[in-house]
Amino acid sequence: MRHRQVLVCESDDRLAQVLRPCVQAQGWRLREVRHPRVCLGLLPQGGESVFVLRLGRDLQREMTLLEQVTWLFPETATVVVCDADNAALVQLVWDLGARFVLHPPQVRELLPEVVAGFLGAETAPAAEAP
């Protein structure tokens, strides 16, 4: 049986901490990945998936990964989190296929609601501040 999963690719665990209460409450699987190459191998294993990518460490590699995920797994919802308020970067992320882009002045606490919406949850529990 395939389970709904949330795959988070980031260099630390800040986004995973924000998502953990929502994911656990819904009974979904949360997978945390530090290296982008691992993501492509984990996506086919799940059923419905949301891929959360935090930008900032290596933009070229991250943009390439976003493009690959969008192309290879079109059914996977891709959510990108940008810490910088950069309109050109946000537009590029949209052009590469992101279904949602979270960037300043939006706050990360919106992330559980966005993910829950893509996975069809009726309500998302409020996120706890890390």
Side-chain angles (χ1 to χ4, degrees):
M1 180 175 163
R2 293 180 172 222
H3 297 281
R4 292 178 182 179
Q5 72 173 351
V6 178
L7 181 63
V8 180
C9 185
E10 62 180 332
S11 59
D12 54 25
D13 67 343
R14 292 172 55 197
L15 297 179
Q17 286 179 6
V18 171
L19 286 168
R20 192 166 282 111
C22 173
V23 170
Q24 288 175 344
Q26 297 293 334
W28 302 329
R29 176 181 293 164
L30 177 65
R31 299 183 121 175
E32 300 175 57
V33 178
R34 301 277 185 254
H35 301 289
R37 293 185 135 186
V38 176
C39 297
L40 295 176
L42 293 176
L43 283 171
Q45 296 174 10
E48 295 180 60
S49 298
V50 174
F51 174 60
V52 179
L53 175 63
R54 181 170 167 211
L55 298 183
R57 192 171 194 185
D58 183 344
L59 284 176
Q60 183 175 4
R61 180 181 288 172
E62 293 157 351
M63 293 299 182
T64 300
L65 177 62
L66 174 61
E67 185 177 35
Q68 289 173 330
V69 169
T70 301
W71 179 257
L72 296 172
F73 308 101
E75 70 284 352
T76 297
T78 53
V79 177
V80 176
V81 179
C82 302
D83 291 330
D85 188 14
N86 181 327
L89 179 61
V90 170
Q91 184 58 52
L92 178 59
V93 169
W94 282 115
D95 291 345
L96 290 175
R99 293 208 199 152
F100 193 90
V101 182
L102 188 63
H103 59 92
Q106 297 169 320
V107 293
R108 291 181 186 194
E109 286 72 28
L110 293 174
L111 190 56
E113 183 178 336
V114 170
V115 168
F118 281 121
L119 289 177
E122 291 183 20
T123 59
E128 296 177 13

